[in-house]
Amino acid sequence: MPGHTHHVNPRGICRGAALTLVFASVLATAAATGSLPREDDTGTEIETRSVSSTVRPVDRDEIAHAAADAEADGKSGTDAAEEVVSRSGDRWGAVYDEREFEEFEQALDGSYTGVGVSARRSARGEVVVTGVQRGGPADRAGVRKGDLLRTVDGRPVEKRPVAEVVAQLRGDRTQAAEGSTVALGVSRGGHSWTTTLRRARLSTDPVSVRRLGRSPSAAVLIKVAAFTKGAGAAVRDAVDEVPEDAGILLDLRANSGGLVTEAVTASSAFLDGGLVATYDVHGDQRALYAEPGGNTERPVVVLVDGGTMSAAELLTGALQDRGRAVTVGSRTFGKGSVQMPSKLPGGSVAELTVGHYRTPAGRSVEGGGITPDVGAGPEAQQRGETVLSGLGGGS
């Protein structure tokens, strides 16, 4: 079963992104990192890792032996395995300890442990709260969008990478448990205060829907933040509820991927069966197909950018290649490789690149990404609405 997820690395290091294909014979479920290494120093509580370049082939046995030898010497098998993967240069290879992997599995269900805050660094160099999850610990404590983060557990956030600050909010391997506490120093206007929050298990809502006008035929924007469990069905349900004469703007910008099966389910809302993607695992060719019965007539525009990754690129490529949607925005990230996880001595999990996927037309996504049909930057949504109107998708 194909799959992928994204998650904060407790070490506070941004490690990049990974698309994972998981098969029941290997592990019942699996996950991988999934957010874009951010050049603009933004962060959320679901951040991940950046990685390296030239790949030296490395297999599971080599990593397992390194982990076993380290365990026998009383050292960390996870650290030893990480060193082997790092030396290999496998761009998407990664090693996770048991707690990290458990968090990844939970993230597959669209949940994470944290305080419900996202943040970025402003042009003035301040760490600004960009979002507060409704009903979460930060929300209940009165933290609001636009507040400035000054300290976390008494440590100033000034000049520190936002990814590191957010990782501290999440906590390290021993602190990130549900119910653990973290102290936030916050300011708003001329008022500053410190509040202690108790981390909680939070659920994310990956799909949001809104009408882009008051007319019955106004286009509908369906924003998919990530393809976590249930996102595909949510997209399909949202499409079913759109008025027949209204077009759809499918916003996949900053979508760092998710479960491939969910992206395939989402594709079934727009396709009447047929090929979504092909992929290989150690040279063994396989294919993913949409379910029959999707709406193939409704005008669709897909919005993409450099943060559109992996499973989101898979969906974008399928709709573009099959002539089902016009894509608008900027070139996507270019994450089209396949990782397979396996357990190591000591309980950690290693993921190594074993293949790549391709769009229905046979295009490789890895490295080059997908070039949209219509180029656009910050005005992508406006440009997309114009394109959609030209396709007869409402106004």
Side-chain angles (χ1 to χ4, degrees):
M1 179 179 70
H4 156 240
T5 187
H6 52 134
H7 168 74
V8 163
N9 183 331
R11 299 182 182 90
I13 304 171
C14 191
R15 281 173 157 180
L19 170 70
T20 304
L21 283 173
V22 182
F23 305 97
S25 60
V26 182
L27 289 176
T29 58
T33 58
S35 79
L36 178 66
R38 301 174 186 271
E39 296 178 357
D40 59 350
D41 195 21
T42 61
T44 70
E45 285 196 86
I46 307 179
E47 279 281 346
T48 49
R49 315 191 280 186
S50 65
V51 269
S52 56
S53 51
T54 309
V55 176
R56 175 185 67 80
V58 59
D59 59 27
R60 187 264 179 197
D61 289 341
E62 180 180 350
I63 298 174
H65 288 150
D69 290 345
E71 292 280 342
D73 291 340
K75 300 177 182 178
S76 168
T78 301
D79 290 346
E82 277 188 335
E83 185 177 349
V84 174
V85 173
S86 177
R87 287 201 309 266
S88 76
D90 185 340
R91 192 181 182 196
W92 309 115
V95 178
Y96 312 107
D97 65 27
E98 288 183 276
R99 192 197 64 77
E100 288 175 321
F101 195 73
E102 181 181 352
E103 287 285 329
F104 290 149
E105 290 180 309
Q106 291 171 338
L108 289 172
D109 292 320
S111 65
Y112 68 102
T113 299
V115 298
V117 167
S118 58
R120 67 171 176 82
R121 190 171 297 282
S122 72
R124 298 173 58 183
E126 298 168 315
V127 177
V128 183
V129 174
T130 55
V132 179
Q133 186 162 334
R134 184 177 300 177
D139 183 35
R140 294 195 300 271
V143 179
R144 297 292 178 260
K145 181 178 179 180
D147 288 349
L148 302 180
L149 287 182
R150 299 299 189 185
T151 61
V152 177
D153 282 337
R155 184 180 175 192
V157 302
E158 186 181 6
K159 297 181 180 179
R160 293 169 57 198
V162 172
E164 180 183 324
V165 173
V166 171
Q168 189 180 357
L169 288 176
R170 277 280 295 108
D172 62 22
R173 295 182 184 182
T174 59
Q175 296 173 330
E178 184 176 357
S180 60
T181 60
V182 58
L184 270 64
V186 184
S187 68
R188 182 187 305 156
H191 176 54
S192 298
W193 73 98
T194 299
T195 181
T196 298
L197 308 180
R198 193 171 296 277
R199 296 180 180 97
R201 174 61 54 185
L202 302 173
S203 296
T204 58
D205 187 0
V207 180
S208 59
V209 183
R210 66 183 176 93
R211 183 73 62 85
L212 296 176
R214 296 183 178 180
S215 120
S217 62
V220 173
L221 177 73
I222 300 177
K223 169 69 176 175
V224 187
F227 285 106
T228 52
K229 193 170 293 183
V235 169
R236 202 163 52 187
D237 291 344
V239 171
D240 287 343
E241 293 176 6
V242 174
E244 288 186 10
D245 53 351
I248 292 174
L249 213 59
L250 182 63
D251 191 352
L252 300 182
R253 291 174 296 177
N255 183 316
S256 56
L259 291 161
V260 173
T261 48
E262 296 296 335
V264 174
T265 298
S267 75
S268 299
F270 308 102
L271 301 171
D272 185 14
L275 186 64
V276 174
T278 59
Y279 62 96
D280 63 283
V281 176
H282 295 305
D284 181 18
Q285 301 298 314
R286 311 184 186 194
L288 299 167
Y289 297 94
E291 292 291 328
N295 186 311
T296 60
E297 301 298 326
R298 188 191 307 280
V300 179
V301 167
V302 179
L303 302 180
V304 297
D305 65 7
T308 304
M309 304 176 65
S310 55
E313 291 177 285
L314 183 149
L315 174 57
T316 301
L319 297 182
Q320 186 183 56
D321 278 5
R322 296 188 56 182
R324 184 60 191 90
V326 176
T327 54
V328 176
S330 53
R331 185 188 296 270
T332 63
F333 182 80
K335 173 64 184 70
S337 59
V338 177
Q339 280 68 47
M340 184 174 288
S342 58
K343 286 194 173 181
L344 301 174
S348 56
V349 175
E351 290 192 324
L352 303 175
T353 299
V354 296
H356 297 84
Y357 73 74
R358 294 180 179 275
T359 68
R363 293 183 295 159
S364 173
V365 175
E366 181 68 18
I370 293 173
T371 301
D373 302 308
V374 179
E379 77 288 0
Q381 181 173 327
Q382 182 180 355
R383 181 72 61 85
E385 290 181 37
T386 301
V387 171
L388 191 60
S389 178
L391 295 173
S395 58

